Structure formats: C-alpha cells, structure tokens
Amino acid sequence: MYAAIAAARNGSSVLLLDKSLVGRGGATIMAQMTVAAAISHQEPDHWTLHLADTKEAGRDICDGVLSEILCEDAPKRIHEMDQWGAHWAREEGHIKQVVAPGHSRSRCCYVDFLNTGPAVAGTLRRQVSKMETIKRLSNVAVTDVLVHDGQAVGAVGLDVIEGEVVTFEAKAVILAAGGLTKLYSRNSASTNMAGEAYALALWAGAELIDMEFVQFFPIAHLAPRLVGMDPIMWDPFRYKLGGRLLNGNFEEFIHLYGGSDAGKYTAVRDLASYAILKEVEAGRGSPHGGVYLDFSHLPEAELRGAFGPVIDRLLANGIDLTKMPIEVGPTAHYQMGGVRVNGRMETSVNGLYAAGEAVGGANGANRLSGNAISEALVFGERAGRFAAEQARHVTSAWNARLAAPAVDQVRTLQEHKGKSGVHPVTLQSELKDLMWENAGPFRTADKLTMSLARINEIQRHDFTDLAISRERQFNLDLQDWFELRAMLTTAKAVVTAALARTESRGAHQRLDFPDSDASFVKNQVLQLKNGRLTVGWTPVVQSQVKVVEI
Ligand SMILES: Cc1cc2nc3c(=O)[nH]c(=O)nc-3n(C[C@H](O)[C@H](O)[C@H](O)COP(=O)(O)OP(=O)(O)OC[C@H]3O[C@@H](n4cnc5c(N)ncnc54)[C@H](O)[C@@H]3O)c2cc1C
C-alpha cells in the first residue's frame, strides 16, 4: 500500500492487487507489537545507532546499502504515518517508544496494546482510498510476471472467486507479496504467505539473496486455541515479568542446555529454541509438541498491571494466567532473505521492483524486532517512487501473446482430470511438514539433502497429476495448485541455500557445522538458469557509516 501511495503521488496510475482483500491480508495486519525508528522522542537516538544495532543482529552480512536506507528513512515514514492519523501511542505529547530486544535505545513505536499492525494497515488503507489514481483489486492471485526482452511488462493473475484468468499490462511491476512462513507447518502468519514473491521473482529472471535465513521464533503460542491475538505476543511479557519455561513434567530445563533463567525468563532465542526442541525430542514436551510458559507464580495484580486489557482478551479465550500455563514452541516467523534489489528497489530485471518482507538483505542473518514493519514502509515508499520514475520513461512493450502460455496453463488445469486423486492441498501439507522437520530451526546436510530430493520428486512426478475440481467459481484446488507451484520453487531455494552455507550464523543453525566461519561472511545469490537453480556468492556490501555521537 505504501508503494502504491508513493507511485500515485509521483504521477503513476496504479493497480493494487491482492489475492486476499487489499490491506487486510498478509502479516502487517497481524503484527501487534512495535515499529522501530530512531525518532528520538523517548530519549536521544540517531539512525546510525539503529544501524549499528541492526548490523550487530545481522551477524556481519547485512547489505549495507539496504540497512542504511532502512534505518535512515524509518523516522520519515513514522512521521508521515503520524500525519495520516496512525495514532502512535503518546506520552506528554511525544510519541512513546520502548526498548525491544537488541535495540540499544527506546526506539520502538506502537499504537496501543496489540493494535499496531491493524492501525498501520488501517492508516494505509484510508490513504490509498483517498487517491483516485490507485485502483484496488482484491481476490486476484498473481501467478506470473510477464517479461519481454529483459523488461517486466505486466502480469497474469487468477480471479480466485470467478475462476477467470486476468492479464495486466504495466510499465513497472512491484512485488510486495510478503514472506514465506506458509512453507512451514508451524508458522506465525496467515495462510496467504506462501513465498510467492520469491518464486515470481525467480521465474521472471531476478535473483534471490540469502534465502537460508528464515527466522524462527522460540516461544510462539501453540495451545490452547487463541483467536484474534498475535501468536508471538508472549515475548515482551516474558521480559517484563519473568515467565517460567517448563517441560511436559512441569520442570525447568533451560539450565540443562547451558542457559540460565534465574527466576526471569531471559535465555536467548536460539538457545531457547534448541532446548525446547530437544525436550520434545526426548519425550518431555507438552501435549501439542512444545513446552509450557507459566506466569501462575505471579500475583494477579502484577499480571494485570503488565498485561493491561490483554488479560481480558486472554480470559475471553479461556486462558486464565493465574491458574494455568500456556503451551509455546518455536515457529517460522519471518524471512530475512528474499528478492535481491539495489537501493532503488530494482531487481536485476528492468522494471521489476520488490518491497517489504519480499526484499532480502537488509537484516542479514537475523532481524531485530520492529525492523520488519519499518522495512515494509520504507522499501514500499522507495519502490513506488522509483517505479513511477521508470513508468514515466519507458514505452510499453506489452503484447497479449506474452500472456498466452500463462493463460493456457489455467485453461488446461480447468479441464484437467488428474488420475492420482491427490489434491494440491494434500501436497502442500506434506511440503510444510517436510520443511518443518528438515529445514526448520536446526538443520543437517542429511535432512536437507533428503528434503531437496523429495521436493524434486514432487515437482517432477506428484505435481504433474493432481486432482483439480471442475468447479468454475471458488475453485480452491486451482488456487492451491498455483500456490503449491510457488511453494515448491521457494522451498527449493531455501533448502538449496541452507545446504550451501556450511556454517551456523544467526537464524541459520546447522547441527553439523555449529560454529560461524569467517569465510562465510558473504551473501548467497540464487538464480534460475535454464530451469536450474544456480548458487553463487557475492561479497557483503558493508556499510561504512560511522555512529554519530549523541
Ligand atoms: C504474527 C506476526 C507478528 C509480527 N509482529 C511484528 C512486529 O511487531 N513488528 C515488526 O516490525 N514486524 C512484525 N512482524 C513482521 C511484519 O509484520 C512483516 O514482515 C511485514 O508486515 C510484511 O509486510 P509486507 O507488506 O511485506 O507483506 P504482508 O503484509 O504480508 O502483505 C503481503 C500481501 O501480499 C498478498 N499476496 C501474497 N501472494 C500474492 C499473490 N501471488 N498475488 C497477489 N497477492 C499476493 C497477501 O495476500 C498479502 O496481503 C510480524 C509478523 C507476524 C506474522
């Protein structure tokens, strides 16, 4: 939405497409915590300090150009959103900012308890609706970006309600289709985050960077069922209150893995993930395959003081923290890698841009909390602005014949009988389990090799003869088929990259290569060449910016 706004105010006519409802799908609306920007409202801060923290978390492989842009532009976007009525939480007139893990300053803005993402999405929706040159089209899943002579010229989509193929002519295309957490059976995101931006970019001829770096969140909510609340909401409360992590026998266990909770739950993320998964493996997990997080040792008044109105929303979900623990466990949460772009958000394909979580590199091997929404706002604004500039200068190379293969694909599927009896969603489930078990928080060459072999087999055999319902309207099989096609391509990119990085760094943990290796201070680049995924390496563009003393 920010990209659309920026493109429109720079003179473009924009079509904003979403496979879900525009402004209501994806991760943004689910995010309930904070947005990081060095606006110095709570205490003196500077974007170079934000950059230093981002680089430290990114473990030496942040793309210097992108991380500088992220940290320098974030304050501008926060202020612009404020003018648009985002209603950031305030205290004595200034925007309130809190410290989040890894940030050296009170830098993270929020709206109110659990309302940040919905408020960000709502603000952008209102702004989009005020701009006459932005047309919105919901329920259209983009299946292909069309490229002619190395130039993006449009796209093909599937109207998921009517079952019609739709073609789009465009002088510039921006991929802002979010992350890939749907590749994993355990994920914190909504169902429409199938990693399609990465697959669309690869098929169009663009490069991906650092796809091995999937961020896993150690204590995401598993059970009991939690409706309308952020599954990763427990993190700030564990810091504030000291929730106890207990295994299935209600025993503390972090100390067995070299960590220490010492009354407060402060064990670092990778150690906590490791310890939890090891307890589960040893048969000491909680019923839903995680461990317990317990606040019941704390007085009710203290809980109420810290949780505020959240405690009532938990009660409405049947969760009384004074009496019961909840179950938590590691879950796929965010993708640090992604489409490779320059500072103008241009991919290597002329006229093809990327924005938001779809972009890789800014956060290196690990992302600080609050940096992802900033990234969506900052990169969105730039992608829209530079795409509009491009659109002013190019003549359209559109030709309806370019869309013919993609259109024929849909028509063929609509007529397809499929003898296997297996529906695409069944293979999606298999793939998600495969990725969780073998390319999840802890990886080995054996497991990665096995999952790569199975992905190849699915692509070559199982995928070619799937059962597709003949319904024209609301044909979920058809939608799932296209999603699965992209999921397989993106999963292969993650696994291939994870195999090639034979070290552990940030979110990429190899049990067979547990240490970081200085020779891997480099970025991994993937590209499709003649249908084959190729792996290359490129030196990290290190930021040379010095921290400004304040
Ligand atoms: C539960 C949760 C909590 C989080 N909390 C925070 C937080 O507190 N702070 C923070 O900084 N970050 C947080 N994050 C991460 C952050 O929310 C995301 O990285 C960010 O919002 C991504 O924004 P985006 O615009 O790139 O993508 P999204 O908001 O995910 O939007 C992508 C859109 O693309 C659409 N789409 C996908 N594929 C297609 C296709 N083929 N055709 C058409 N449309 C398509 C989707 O329907 C979706 O609407 C959280 C994430 C989750 C899941």
Side-chain angles (χ1 to χ4, degrees), residues 215-535:
Q215 186 167 56
F216 296 93
F217 192 85
I219 56 158
H221 190 88
L222 291 182
R225 192 158 177 255
L226 187 64
V227 178
M229 298 182 79
D230 186 338
I232 61 149
M233 58 167 266
W234 298 111
D235 209 28
F237 299 117
R238 76 178 172 147
Y239 280 106
K240 238 189 235 176
L241 293 164
R244 293 191 311 152
L245 271 190
L246 306 172
N247 67 15
N249 302 329
F250 296 98
E251 301 154 342
E252 291 195 284
F253 58 90
I254 286 289
H255 60 281
L256 302 175
Y257 301 90
S260 160
D261 267 353
K264 290 262 167 199
Y265 174 51
T266 51
V268 292
R269 284 183 178 183
D270 50 357
L271 185 134
S273 289
Y274 182 80
I276 292 169
L277 293 175
K278 281 286 167 194
E279 285 298 293
V280 174
E281 203 178 278
R284 293 189 295 270
S286 61
H288 291 83
V291 295
Y292 293 110
L293 176 62
D294 182 35
F295 294 95
S296 64
H297 54 291
L298 297 163
E300 187 173 351
E302 197 179 335
L303 288 176
R304 200 159 264 286
F307 279 86
V310 175
I311 206 135
D312 295 319
R313 282 171 74 175
L314 288 168
L315 280 170
N317 274 280
I319 298 172
D320 182 349
L321 292 180
T322 63
K323 297 199 174 73
M324 61 193 281
I326 44 113
E327 287 180 61
V328 295
T331 193
H333 182 52
Y334 172 85
Q335 170 64 328
M336 267 78 67
V339 183
R340 190 179 188 202
V341 295
N342 61 17
R344 293 165 60 92
M345 303 296 129
E346 293 166 330
T347 67
S348 51
V349 176
N350 195 15
L352 183 63
Y353 296 73
E357 191 171 334
V359 167
N363 295 288
N366 192 25
R367 168 182 71 89
L368 286 180
S369 64
N371 266 11
I373 295 184
S374 311
E375 169 184 79
L377 306 178
V378 166
F379 294 170
E381 189 277 335
R382 286 180 84 85
R385 179 155 43 100
F386 292 117
E389 201 177 284
Q390 155 91 0
R392 276 201 298 277
H393 295 114
V394 293
T395 43
S396 170
W398 172 261
N399 180 333
R401 272 187 314 228
L402 292 169
V407 172
D408 288 349
Q409 173 77 80
V410 182
R411 300 263 181 266
T412 310
L413 285 170
Q414 283 171 331
E415 302 303 321
H416 181 73
K417 291 207 178 72
K419 295 186 202 73
S420 70
V422 177
H423 290 265
V425 74
T426 309
L427 279 188
Q428 281 193 10
S429 297
E430 185 195 331
L431 179 66
K432 288 159 73 167
D433 288 342
L434 188 78
M435 290 297 284
W436 179 253
E437 295 299 331
N438 302 298
F442 298 101
R443 301 155 172 187
T444 61
D446 285 352
K447 286 183 163 193
L448 291 166
T449 307
M450 191 271 281
S451 47
L452 190 58
R454 180 61 190 138
I455 292 168
N456 283 331
E457 192 178 74
I458 295 176
Q459 280 183 319
R460 283 194 208 112
H461 302 293
D462 313 45
F463 185 64
T464 55
D465 188 31
L466 287 169
I468 311 274
S469 140
R470 305 297 287 274
E471 300 298 326
R472 190 74 184 199
Q473 293 176 313
F474 295 106
N475 187 334
L476 288 181
D477 278 341
L478 205 53
Q479 195 183 339
D480 289 342
W481 187 93
F482 281 104
E483 215 176 69
L484 175 62
R485 185 179 66 160
M487 287 169 78
L488 287 165
T489 297
T490 301
K492 196 166 175 172
V494 172
V495 173
T496 303
L499 256 176
R501 189 175 279 276
T502 47
E503 63 150 1
S504 291
R505 182 177 300 271
H508 170 67
Q509 292 293 318
R510 289 278 303 254
L511 293 179
D512 44 357
F513 295 95
D515 299 322
S516 294
D517 174 347
S519 68
F520 275 102
V521 178
K522 53 190 177 182
N523 299 116
Q524 187 168 191
V525 180
L526 300 181
Q527 202 173 12
L528 271 182
K529 288 187 182 147
N530 301 321
R532 294 184 72 85
L533 203 55
T534 62
V535 172

Side-chain angles (χ1 to χ4, degrees), residues 17-21 23-36 140-143 176-179 181 188-190 192-194 196-197 200 230-232 333-334 355-358 367-376:
L17 290 175
D18 202 300
K19 67 193 264 186
S20 165
L21 295 177
R24 294 182 195 274
T28 305
I29 205 160
M30 298 181 70
Q32 296 182 331
M33 301 298 169
T34 61
V35 189
V140 172
V142 172
T143 58
T181 41
S188 64
S190 65
N192 49 354
M193 304 190 50
E196 286 154 278
L200 288 168
D230 186 338
I232 61 149
H333 182 52
Y334 172 85
E357 191 171 334
R367 168 182 71 89
L368 286 180
S369 64
N371 266 11
I373 295 184
S374 311
E375 169 184 79

Side-chain angles (χ1 to χ4, degrees), residues 36 47-60 62 67-68 70-71 102-103 107 362-368 371:
W47 71 266
T48 55
L49 279 170
H50 185 186
L51 177 65
D53 293 343
T54 298
K55 278 169 58 179
E56 192 176 335
R59 306 283 307 278
D60 301 327
C62 290
S67 46
E68 280 176 24
L70 165 64
C71 299
H103 290 279
R107 179 179 294 142
N363 295 288
N366 192 25
R367 168 182 71 89
L368 286 180
N371 266 11

